[in-house]
C-alpha cells in the first residue's frame, strides 16, 4: 500500500535519467502495475501514484516532461515467480 520509491528504485531512476541524457531523442513510457488483490479502484490509484512518483523523480533528475509518457495502470494476476510483491511495480520503457 505504499507509493514511496525505494533506494533501489532511485538507483534505477538515476540510471534511466543518465541513459536519456546520453540520447536526446529517446522518450520513455511509465506504467504502474498492481496485483488484483483488494479493492480494484484503490489498487489503480496506488499504481498511478507510484508511476507519478517515478515521473516526478525522473523530472527531478533533469528529464524533460515532454520525454515522458504516462501509461494507464495495469492489473496482473501475479508478478514474476508468482509473487504479488513483484506485481506491484513501475516500469520505465523506451518508446
Amino acid at each position: 500500500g505504499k507509493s514511496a520509491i525505494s533506494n533501489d528504485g532511485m538507483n534505477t531512476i538515476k540510471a534511466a535519467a543518465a541513459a536519456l541524457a546520453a540520447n536526446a531523442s529517446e522518450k520513455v513510457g511509465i506504467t504502474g502495475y498492481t496485483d488484483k488483490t483488494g479493492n480494484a479502484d484503490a489498487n489503480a490509484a496506488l499504481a498511478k501514484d507510484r508511476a507519478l512518483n517515478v515521473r516526478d523523480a525522473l523530472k527531478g533528475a533533469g528529464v524533460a516532461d515532454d520525454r515522458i509518457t504516462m501509461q494507464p495502470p495495469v492489473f496482473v494476476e501475479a508478478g514474476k515467480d508468482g509473487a504479488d510483491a513483484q506485481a506491484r511495480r513501475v516500469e520505465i520503457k523506451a518508446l
Side-chain angles (χ1 to χ4, degrees):
K2 298 178 183 178
S3 62
I5 300 171
S6 68
N7 289 335
D8 286 342
M10 285 305 299
N11 290 335
T12 300
I13 289 166
K14 289 176 187 175
L20 288 164
N23 186 349
S25 65
E26 191 78 43
K27 294 183 179 187
V28 294
I30 299 175
T31 306
Y33 290 79
T34 186
D35 61 26
K36 291 189 176 186
T37 60
N39 181 282
D41 291 337
N43 284 345
L46 185 55
K48 182 178 178 181
D49 287 346
R50 289 175 178 145
L52 290 172
N53 285 345
V54 170
R55 179 204 62 193
D56 292 346
L58 280 171
K59 288 170 56 176
V63 178
D65 193 45
D66 65 347
R67 297 179 70 193
I68 302 169
T69 300
M70 299 300 294
Q71 307 293 332
V74 175
F75 295 92
V76 293
E77 290 296 329
K80 183 179 178 181
D81 301 324
D84 285 340
Q86 290 294 321
R88 302 176 199 124
R89 68 186 188 280
V90 174
E91 290 186 353
I92 304 169
K93 291 188 179 182
L95 298 178

Coordinates of all heavy atoms in Angstrom, one line a residue:
G1 N 0.8 -1.2 0.0 CA 0.0 0.0 0.0 C 0.8 1.3 0.0 O 0.3 2.3 0.3
K2 N 2.1 1.2 -0.4 CA 3.0 2.4 -0.4 C 3.3 2.8 -1.8 O 3.4 2.0 -2.7 CB 4.2 2.0 0.4 CG 4.0 1.7 1.8 CD 5.3 1.4 2.5 CE 5.0 1.0 4.0 NZ 6.2 0.6 4.7
S3 N 3.6 4.1 -1.9 CA 4.0 4.6 -3.3 C 5.3 5.2 -3.2 O 5.8 5.7 -4.2 CB 2.9 5.6 -3.8 OG 2.8 6.7 -2.9
A4 N 6.0 5.1 -2.1 CA 7.4 5.7 -2.0 C 8.3 4.9 -2.8 O 8.2 3.7 -3.0 CB 7.8 5.7 -0.5
I5 N 9.4 5.6 -3.3 CA 10.4 4.9 -4.1 C 11.5 4.4 -3.2 O 12.0 5.2 -2.4 CB 10.9 5.9 -5.2 CG1 9.8 6.4 -6.1 CG2 12.0 5.3 -6.0 CD1 10.2 7.5 -7.0
S6 N 11.9 3.2 -3.4 CA 12.9 2.6 -2.6 C 14.3 3.1 -3.1 O 14.4 3.7 -4.1 CB 12.9 1.1 -2.7 OG 13.3 0.7 -4.0
N7 N 15.3 2.8 -2.3 CA 16.7 3.2 -2.7 C 17.1 2.5 -4.0 O 17.7 3.1 -4.9 CB 17.7 2.8 -1.6 CG 17.6 3.7 -0.4 OD1 17.1 4.8 -0.5 ND2 18.0 3.2 0.7
D8 N 16.7 1.2 -4.2 CA 17.0 0.5 -5.4 C 16.2 1.2 -6.6 O 16.8 1.3 -7.7 CB 16.6 -1.0 -5.3 CG 17.5 -1.8 -4.5 OD1 18.7 -1.3 -4.3 OD2 17.2 -2.9 -4.1
G9 N 15.0 1.6 -6.3 CA 14.2 2.3 -7.3 C 14.9 3.6 -7.7 O 14.9 3.9 -8.9
M10 N 15.4 4.3 -6.8 CA 16.0 5.6 -7.1 C 17.3 5.4 -7.9 O 17.6 6.1 -8.8 CB 16.4 6.4 -5.8 CG 15.2 7.0 -5.2 SD 14.2 8.1 -6.2 CE 15.4 9.4 -6.7
N11 N 18.0 4.3 -7.7 CA 19.2 3.9 -8.5 C 18.8 3.6 -9.9 O 19.4 4.0 -10.9 CB 19.9 2.7 -7.9 CG 20.6 3.1 -6.6 OD1 21.0 4.3 -6.3 ND2 20.9 2.1 -5.7
T12 N 17.6 2.9 -10.1 CA 17.1 2.6 -11.4 C 16.7 3.9 -12.1 O 17.0 4.1 -13.3 CB 15.9 1.7 -11.3 OG1 16.4 0.5 -10.7 CG2 15.4 1.4 -12.7
I13 N 16.1 4.8 -11.4 CA 15.6 6.1 -12.0 C 16.9 6.9 -12.4 O 16.9 7.5 -13.5 CB 14.8 6.9 -11.0 CG1 13.4 6.1 -10.9 CG2 14.6 8.3 -11.4 CD1 12.6 6.6 -9.7
K14 N 17.9 7.0 -11.6 CA 19.1 7.7 -11.9 C 19.8 7.1 -13.2 O 20.2 7.8 -14.1 CB 20.1 7.7 -10.8 CG 19.7 8.5 -9.6 CD 20.6 8.4 -8.5 CE 20.1 9.1 -7.2 NZ 21.0 8.9 -6.1
A15 N 19.8 5.8 -13.3 CA 20.3 5.1 -14.5 C 19.5 5.5 -15.7 O 20.0 5.7 -16.8 CB 20.4 3.6 -14.3
A16 N 18.2 5.5 -15.6 CA 17.3 5.8 -16.7 C 17.5 7.3 -17.1 O 17.6 7.6 -18.3 CB 15.8 5.6 -16.3
A17 N 17.6 8.2 -16.2 CA 17.9 9.6 -16.5 C 19.2 9.7 -17.2 O 19.3 10.5 -18.1 CB 17.8 10.4 -15.2
A18 N 20.3 9.0 -16.8 CA 21.6 9.1 -17.4 C 21.5 8.6 -18.9 O 22.1 9.2 -19.8 CB 22.6 8.3 -16.6
A19 N 20.7 7.5 -19.1 CA 20.5 6.9 -20.4 C 19.8 7.9 -21.3 O 20.2 8.1 -22.5 CB 19.8 5.6 -20.4
L20 N 18.8 8.6 -20.7 CA 18.1 9.6 -21.5 C 19.0 10.8 -21.8 O 18.9 11.4 -22.9 CB 16.8 10.0 -20.8 CG 15.7 9.0 -20.8 CD1 14.7 9.3 -19.7 CD2 15.1 8.9 -22.1
A21 N 19.8 11.2 -20.9 CA 20.7 12.3 -21.1 C 21.7 12.0 -22.2 O 22.1 12.9 -23.0 CB 21.5 12.7 -19.8
A22 N 22.1 10.7 -22.4 CA 23.0 10.3 -23.4 C 22.4 10.2 -24.8 O 23.1 10.1 -25.8 CB 23.6 9.0 -23.0
N23 N 21.0 10.2 -24.8 CA 20.3 10.1 -26.1 C 19.1 11.1 -26.1 O 18.1 10.8 -25.6 CB 19.8 8.6 -26.3 CG 19.2 8.4 -27.7 OD1 18.9 9.4 -28.4 ND2 18.9 7.2 -28.0
A24 N 19.4 12.2 -26.6 CA 18.4 13.3 -26.6 C 17.1 13.1 -27.3 O 16.1 13.7 -27.0 CB 19.0 14.6 -27.1
S25 N 17.1 12.1 -28.2 CA 15.8 11.8 -28.9 C 15.0 10.7 -28.3 O 13.8 10.5 -28.7 CB 16.1 11.4 -30.4 OG 16.9 10.2 -30.4
E26 N 15.5 10.1 -27.3 CA 14.8 9.0 -26.6 C 13.7 9.5 -25.7 O 13.8 10.5 -25.1 CB 15.8 8.2 -25.8 CG 15.3 6.9 -25.2 CD 15.3 5.8 -26.3 OE1 16.3 5.6 -27.0 OE2 14.3 5.0 -26.4
K27 N 12.6 8.7 -25.7 CA 11.5 9.0 -24.8 C 11.1 7.7 -24.1 O 11.5 6.7 -24.6 CB 10.2 9.5 -25.6 CG 10.5 10.8 -26.3 CD 9.2 11.3 -27.0 CE 9.5 12.7 -27.6 NZ 8.3 13.3 -28.2
V28 N 10.5 7.9 -23.0 CA 10.1 6.7 -22.2 C 8.6 6.8 -21.8 O 8.0 7.8 -21.8 CB 10.9 6.6 -20.9 CG1 12.4 6.3 -21.2 CG2 10.8 7.8 -20.0
G29 N 8.1 5.6 -21.6 CA 6.7 5.4 -21.1 C 6.8 4.8 -19.7 O 7.7 4.0 -19.4
I30 N 6.0 5.3 -18.8 CA 5.9 4.8 -17.4 C 4.6 4.2 -17.1 O 3.5 4.8 -17.4 CB 6.2 6.0 -16.4 CG1 7.5 6.7 -16.7 CG2 6.0 5.5 -15.0 CD1 7.8 7.9 -15.8
T31 N 4.7 3.0 -16.7 CA 3.5 2.2 -16.4 C 3.5 1.7 -14.9 O 4.5 1.1 -14.5 CB 3.3 1.0 -17.3 OG1 3.4 1.4 -18.6 CG2 2.0 0.2 -17.1
G32 N 2.4 1.9 -14.2 CA 2.3 1.4 -12.8 C 1.5 0.1 -12.9 O 0.5 0.0 -13.6
Y33 N 2.0 -0.9 -12.2 CA 1.4 -2.2 -12.1 C 0.9 -2.5 -10.7 O 1.4 -2.0 -9.8 CB 2.4 -3.3 -12.5 CG 2.7 -3.3 -14.0 CD1 3.7 -2.4 -14.5 CD2 2.2 -4.2 -14.9 CE1 4.0 -2.4 -15.8 CE2 2.5 -4.2 -16.2 CZ 3.4 -3.3 -16.7 OH 3.8 -3.3 -18.0
T34 N -0.1 -3.3 -10.6 CA -0.6 -3.8 -9.3 C -1.2 -5.2 -9.5 O -1.6 -5.6 -10.6 CB -1.7 -2.8 -8.8 OG1 -2.1 -3.2 -7.5 CG2 -2.9 -2.7 -9.7
D35 N -1.3 -5.8 -8.3 CA -2.0 -7.1 -8.3 C -3.5 -6.9 -8.2 O -4.0 -5.8 -8.1 CB -1.4 -8.1 -7.2 CG -1.7 -7.5 -5.9 OD1 -2.6 -6.7 -5.7 OD2 -0.9 -7.9 -4.9
K36 N -4.2 -8.0 -8.3 CA -5.7 -7.9 -8.3 C -6.3 -8.2 -6.9 O -7.5 -8.3 -6.8 CB -6.3 -8.9 -9.3 CG -6.0 -8.5 -10.7 CD -6.8 -9.3 -11.7 CE -6.5 -8.8 -13.1 NZ -7.3 -9.5 -14.1
T37 N -5.4 -8.2 -5.8 CA -6.0 -8.5 -4.5 C -6.5 -7.1 -4.0 O -5.9 -6.1 -4.2 CB -4.9 -9.1 -3.6 OG1 -3.8 -8.2 -3.5 CG2 -4.5 -10.4 -4.0
G38 N -7.6 -7.2 -3.2 CA -8.1 -5.9 -2.6 C -9.0 -5.2 -3.5 O -9.5 -5.7 -4.5
N39 N -9.2 -3.9 -3.2 CA -10.1 -3.0 -3.9 C -9.5 -2.6 -5.2 O -8.4 -2.0 -5.2 CB -10.4 -1.8 -3.1 CG -11.4 -0.9 -3.7 OD1 -11.0 -0.1 -4.6 ND2 -12.7 -1.0 -3.4
A40 N -10.1 -2.8 -6.4 CA -9.6 -2.5 -7.7 C -9.3 -1.0 -7.9 O -8.3 -0.6 -8.4 CB -10.5 -3.0 -8.8
D41 N -10.3 -0.2 -7.4 CA -10.1 1.3 -7.5 C -8.9 1.8 -6.7 O -8.1 2.6 -7.2 CB -11.4 2.0 -7.1 CG -12.5 1.8 -8.1 OD1 -12.3 1.4 -9.3 OD2 -13.7 1.9 -7.7
A42 N -8.8 1.3 -5.5 CA -7.7 1.7 -4.7 C -6.4 1.2 -5.3 O -5.4 1.9 -5.2 CB -7.9 1.1 -3.3
N43 N -6.3 0.0 -5.8 CA -5.1 -0.5 -6.5 C -4.7 0.3 -7.7 O -3.6 0.6 -7.9 CB -5.3 -2.0 -6.9 CG -5.2 -2.9 -5.7 OD1 -4.8 -2.6 -4.6 ND2 -5.7 -4.1 -5.9
A44 N -5.7 0.7 -8.5 CA -5.5 1.6 -9.6 C -4.9 2.9 -9.2 O -3.9 3.4 -9.8 CB -6.7 1.7 -10.5
A45 N -5.5 3.5 -8.2 CA -5.0 4.8 -7.7 C -3.5 4.6 -7.2 O -2.7 5.5 -7.4 CB -5.9 5.3 -6.6
L46 N -3.3 3.5 -6.5 CA -1.9 3.3 -5.9 C -0.9 3.1 -7.1 O 0.2 3.7 -7.0 CB -1.9 2.1 -5.0 CG -0.6 1.8 -4.3 CD1 -0.1 3.0 -3.5 CD2 -0.8 0.6 -3.3
A47 N -1.3 2.3 -8.1 CA -0.4 2.1 -9.2 C -0.1 3.5 -9.9 O 1.0 3.8 -10.3 CB -1.0 1.2 -10.2
K48 N -1.1 4.3 -10.0 CA -1.0 5.6 -10.6 C -0.1 6.5 -9.8 O 0.8 7.2 -10.3 CB -2.3 6.3 -10.8 CG -2.2 7.7 -11.5 CD -3.6 8.3 -11.7 CE -3.5 9.6 -12.3 NZ -4.8 10.3 -12.4
D49 N -0.3 6.5 -8.5 CA 0.6 7.3 -7.6 C 2.0 6.8 -7.7 O 3.0 7.7 -7.7 CB 0.1 7.2 -6.1 CG -1.2 7.9 -5.8 OD1 -1.6 8.8 -6.7 OD2 -1.8 7.7 -4.8
R50 N 2.3 5.6 -7.7 CA 3.6 5.0 -7.9 C 4.3 5.5 -9.2 O 5.4 6.0 -9.2 CB 3.6 3.5 -7.8 CG 3.3 2.9 -6.5 CD 3.2 1.4 -6.5 NE 3.0 0.8 -5.2 CZ 2.3 -0.2 -5.0 NH1 1.7 -0.9 -6.1 NH2 2.1 -0.7 -3.8
A51 N 3.5 5.4 -10.3 CA 4.0 5.9 -11.6 C 4.3 7.4 -11.6 O 5.3 7.8 -12.1 CB 3.0 5.5 -12.7
L52 N 3.4 8.2 -11.0 CA 3.6 9.6 -10.9 C 4.8 10.0 -10.1 O 5.6 10.9 -10.4 CB 2.4 10.3 -10.3 CG 1.1 10.3 -11.2 CD1 -0.1 10.8 -10.4 CD2 1.4 11.1 -12.5
N53 N 5.1 9.2 -9.0 CA 6.3 9.4 -8.2 C 7.6 9.2 -9.0 O 8.6 9.9 -8.9 CB 6.3 8.6 -7.0 CG 5.4 9.1 -5.9 OD1 4.9 10.2 -6.0 ND2 5.1 8.3 -4.9
V54 N 7.5 8.1 -9.9 CA 8.7 7.8 -10.7 C 8.8 8.9 -11.8 O 9.9 9.4 -12.0 CB 8.5 6.4 -11.4 CG1 9.5 6.2 -12.5 CG2 8.6 5.3 -10.4
R55 N 7.7 9.4 -12.4 CA 7.8 10.5 -13.3 C 8.4 11.7 -12.6 O 9.3 12.4 -13.2 CB 6.4 10.9 -13.8 CG 6.4 12.0 -14.8 CD 5.1 12.8 -14.9 NE 4.8 13.4 -13.6 CZ 3.6 13.9 -13.3 NH1 2.6 13.8 -14.2 NH2 3.3 14.4 -12.1
D56 N 7.9 12.1 -11.5 CA 8.5 13.2 -10.8 C 10.0 13.1 -10.4 O 10.7 14.1 -10.5 CB 7.7 13.5 -9.5 CG 6.2 13.9 -9.8 OD1 5.9 14.3 -11.0 OD2 5.4 13.9 -8.9
A57 N 10.4 11.9 -10.1 CA 11.8 11.6 -9.8 C 12.6 11.8 -11.1 O 13.7 12.3 -11.0 CB 12.0 10.3 -9.2
L58 N 12.1 11.3 -12.2 CA 12.8 11.5 -13.5 C 12.9 13.0 -13.8 O 14.0 13.4 -14.2 CB 12.1 10.7 -14.6 CG 12.3 9.2 -14.7 CD1 11.4 8.6 -15.7 CD2 13.8 9.0 -15.1
K59 N 11.8 13.7 -13.6 CA 11.9 15.1 -13.9 C 12.9 15.8 -13.0 O 13.6 16.7 -13.4 CB 10.5 15.7 -13.8 CG 9.6 15.3 -14.9 CD 8.1 15.7 -14.7 CE 7.9 17.1 -14.4 NZ 6.4 17.5 -14.3
G60 N 12.9 15.4 -11.7 CA 13.9 15.9 -10.7 C 15.3 15.6 -11.1 O 16.2 16.4 -10.7
A61 N 15.5 14.6 -11.9 CA 16.8 14.2 -12.3 C 17.2 14.8 -13.7 O 18.2 14.5 -14.2 CB 16.9 12.7 -12.5
G62 N 16.3 15.7 -14.1 CA 16.6 16.5 -15.3 C 16.0 16.1 -16.6 O 16.2 16.6 -17.7
V63 N 15.1 15.1 -16.5 CA 14.4 14.6 -17.8 C 13.2 15.5 -18.0 O 12.4 15.8 -17.2 CB 13.9 13.2 -17.6 CG1 13.2 12.7 -18.8 CG2 15.1 12.2 -17.3
A64 N 13.1 16.1 -19.2 CA 12.1 17.0 -19.6 C 10.7 16.2 -19.7 O 10.7 15.1 -20.1 CB 12.3 17.6 -21.0
D65 N 9.7 16.9 -19.2 CA 8.3 16.3 -19.2 C 7.9 15.8 -20.5 O 7.2 14.8 -20.6 CB 7.4 17.4 -18.7 CG 6.0 16.8 -18.3 OD1 6.0 15.8 -17.6 OD2 5.0 17.4 -18.6
D66 N 8.2 16.4 -21.6 CA 7.8 16.0 -22.9 C 8.5 14.7 -23.4 O 8.1 14.2 -24.5 CB 7.9 17.1 -24.0 CG 9.4 17.5 -24.2 OD1 10.3 17.1 -23.5 OD2 9.6 18.3 -25.2
R67 N 9.4 14.2 -22.6 CA 10.1 13.0 -23.0 C 9.5 11.8 -22.2 O 9.9 10.7 -22.3 CB 11.6 13.1 -22.7 CG 12.2 14.2 -23.6 CD 13.7 14.3 -23.4 NE 14.4 13.1 -23.9 CZ 15.6 12.8 -23.6 NH1 16.3 13.6 -22.8 NH2 16.2 11.7 -24.0
I68 N 8.5 12.1 -21.4 CA 7.9 11.1 -20.5 C 6.4 10.9 -20.9 O 5.7 11.9 -20.9 CB 8.0 11.5 -19.0 CG1 9.5 11.7 -18.7 CG2 7.3 10.4 -18.2 CD1 9.6 12.3 -17.3
T69 N 6.0 9.7 -21.1 CA 4.5 9.4 -21.4 C 4.0 8.5 -20.3 O 4.6 7.5 -20.0 CB 4.4 8.7 -22.8 OG1 4.9 9.6 -23.8 CG2 2.9 8.4 -23.1
M70 N 2.9 8.9 -19.7 CA 2.3 8.1 -18.7 C 1.3 7.1 -19.4 O 0.5 7.5 -20.2 CB 1.5 9.0 -17.7 CG 2.4 10.0 -17.0 SD 3.7 9.3 -16.0 CE 2.8 8.4 -14.7
Q71 N 1.4 5.9 -18.9 CA 0.6 4.8 -19.4 C -0.5 4.5 -18.4 O -0.2 4.7 -17.2 CB 1.4 3.5 -19.8 CG 2.6 3.8 -20.7 CD 2.2 4.2 -22.1 OE1 1.1 3.8 -22.6 NE2 3.0 4.9 -22.8
P72 N -1.6 3.9 -18.8 CA -2.6 3.6 -17.7 C -2.1 2.4 -16.9 O -1.3 1.6 -17.3 CB -3.9 3.2 -18.6 CG -3.4 3.0 -19.9 CD -2.1 3.7 -20.1
P73 N -2.6 2.3 -15.6 CA -2.3 1.2 -14.7 C -2.6 -0.1 -15.3 O -3.6 -0.2 -16.1 CB -3.1 1.5 -13.5 CG -3.5 2.9 -13.5 CD -3.6 3.3 -15.0
V74 N -1.8 -1.1 -15.0 CA -2.1 -2.5 -15.5 C -2.2 -3.4 -14.3 O -1.5 -3.4 -13.3 CB -0.9 -3.0 -16.3 CG1 -1.0 -4.4 -16.8 CG2 -0.7 -2.1 -17.6
F75 N -3.3 -4.2 -14.3 CA -3.5 -5.2 -13.3 C -3.0 -6.6 -13.8 O -3.2 -6.9 -14.9 CB -5.0 -5.4 -13.0 CG -5.6 -4.1 -12.5 CD1 -6.2 -3.2 -13.3 CD2 -5.6 -3.9 -11.1 CE1 -6.7 -2.0 -12.8 CE2 -6.2 -2.8 -10.6 CZ -6.8 -1.8 -11.4
V76 N -2.2 -7.2 -12.9 CA -1.7 -8.6 -13.3 C -2.1 -9.6 -12.2 O -2.4 -9.2 -11.0 CB -0.1 -8.5 -13.4 CG1 0.3 -7.7 -14.6 CG2 0.5 -8.0 -12.1
E77 N -2.2 -10.8 -12.6 CA -2.6 -11.9 -11.6 C -1.5 -12.0 -10.6 O -1.8 -12.1 -9.4 CB -2.8 -13.2 -12.4 CG -4.0 -13.2 -13.3 CD -5.3 -13.1 -12.5 OE1 -5.4 -13.5 -11.3 OE2 -6.3 -12.5 -13.0
A78 N -0.3 -12.1 -10.9 CA 0.8 -12.2 -10.0 C 2.1 -11.8 -10.7 O 2.1 -11.7 -12.0 CB 1.0 -13.6 -9.5
G79 N 3.1 -11.4 -10.0 CA 4.3 -11.0 -10.6 C 5.2 -12.1 -11.0 O 4.8 -13.3 -11.0
K80 N 6.5 -11.8 -11.3 CA 7.5 -12.7 -11.7 C 7.6 -13.8 -10.6 O 7.6 -13.5 -9.4 CB 8.8 -12.0 -11.8 CG 9.9 -12.9 -12.3 CD 11.2 -12.0 -12.4 CE 12.4 -12.9 -12.8 NZ 13.6 -12.1 -12.9
D81 N 7.6 -15.0 -10.9 CA 7.7 -16.2 -10.0 C 6.5 -16.3 -9.1 O 6.5 -16.9 -8.0 CB 9.0 -16.1 -9.1 CG 10.2 -16.1 -10.0 OD1 10.3 -16.8 -11.0 OD2 11.2 -15.4 -9.6
G82 N 5.4 -15.6 -9.5 CA 4.1 -15.7 -8.8 C 4.0 -14.9 -7.5 O 3.1 -15.0 -6.8
A83 N 5.0 -14.0 -7.3 CA 5.0 -13.1 -6.1 C 4.1 -11.9 -6.3 O 4.4 -11.1 -7.3 CB 6.4 -12.8 -5.7
D84 N 3.2 -11.6 -5.5 CA 2.4 -10.4 -5.6 C 3.2 -9.2 -5.5 O 2.9 -8.2 -6.1 CB 1.3 -10.4 -4.5 CG 0.1 -11.4 -4.8 OD1 0.0 -11.7 -6.0 OD2 -0.6 -11.7 -3.8
A85 N 4.2 -9.2 -4.6 CA 5.1 -8.0 -4.5 C 5.7 -7.6 -5.8 O 5.9 -6.4 -6.1 CB 6.2 -8.3 -3.4
Q86 N 6.0 -8.6 -6.7 CA 6.6 -8.3 -8.0 C 5.5 -7.7 -8.9 O 5.9 -7.0 -9.9 CB 7.2 -9.5 -8.6 CG 8.4 -10.0 -7.9 CD 9.6 -9.0 -8.1 OE1 9.7 -8.4 -9.1 NE2 10.3 -8.8 -7.0
A87 N 4.3 -7.9 -8.6 CA 3.2 -7.3 -9.4 C 3.0 -5.9 -9.1 O 2.5 -5.1 -9.9 CB 1.9 -8.1 -9.2
R88 N 3.4 -5.5 -8.0 CA 3.3 -4.1 -7.5 C 4.6 -3.3 -7.9 O 5.5 -3.2 -7.0 CB 3.1 -4.0 -6.0 CG 1.8 -4.8 -5.6 CD 1.7 -4.8 -4.1 NE 0.8 -5.9 -3.7 CZ 1.1 -6.9 -2.9 NH1 2.3 -6.9 -2.3 NH2 0.3 -7.8 -2.6
R89 N 4.6 -2.8 -9.1 CA 5.9 -2.2 -9.6 C 5.6 -1.1 -10.6 O 4.4 -0.9 -11.0 CB 6.7 -3.2 -10.2 CG 6.2 -3.8 -11.6 CD 7.0 -4.9 -12.1 NE 6.6 -5.3 -13.4 CZ 5.5 -6.1 -13.7 NH1 4.8 -6.5 -12.7 NH2 5.2 -6.4 -15.0
V90 N 6.6 -0.4 -11.0 CA 6.5 0.6 -12.0 C 7.6 0.3 -13.0 O 8.7 -0.1 -12.6 CB 6.7 2.1 -11.5 CG1 6.8 3.1 -12.6 CG2 5.7 2.4 -10.5
E91 N 7.3 0.3 -14.3 CA 8.3 0.1 -15.3 C 8.5 1.3 -16.2 O 7.6 2.1 -16.4 CB 7.8 -1.1 -16.3 CG 7.8 -2.4 -15.6 CD 7.5 -3.6 -16.6 OE1 7.1 -3.3 -17.7 OE2 7.5 -4.7 -16.1
I92 N 9.8 1.5 -16.5 CA 10.2 2.6 -17.4 C 10.6 1.9 -18.7 O 11.6 1.1 -18.6 CB 11.3 3.4 -16.8 CG1 11.0 4.0 -15.4 CG2 11.7 4.6 -17.8 CD1 12.1 4.6 -14.7
K93 N 10.0 2.2 -19.8 CA 10.3 1.6 -21.0 C 10.6 2.6 -22.1 O 9.9 3.6 -22.2 CB 9.2 0.7 -21.5 CG 9.0 -0.6 -20.7 CD 8.0 -1.5 -21.3 CE 7.9 -2.7 -20.4 NZ 7.0 -3.7 -21.0
A94 N 11.6 2.3 -22.9 CA 11.9 3.2 -24.1 C 10.7 3.1 -25.1 O 10.2 2.0 -25.3 CB 13.2 2.8 -24.7
L95 N 10.4 4.2 -25.6 CA 9.3 4.3 -26.6 C 9.9 4.4 -28.0 O 11.0 4.8 -28.2 CB 8.4 5.4 -26.4 CG 7.6 5.4 -25.1 CD1 6.8 6.6 -24.9 CD2 6.7 4.2 -25.0

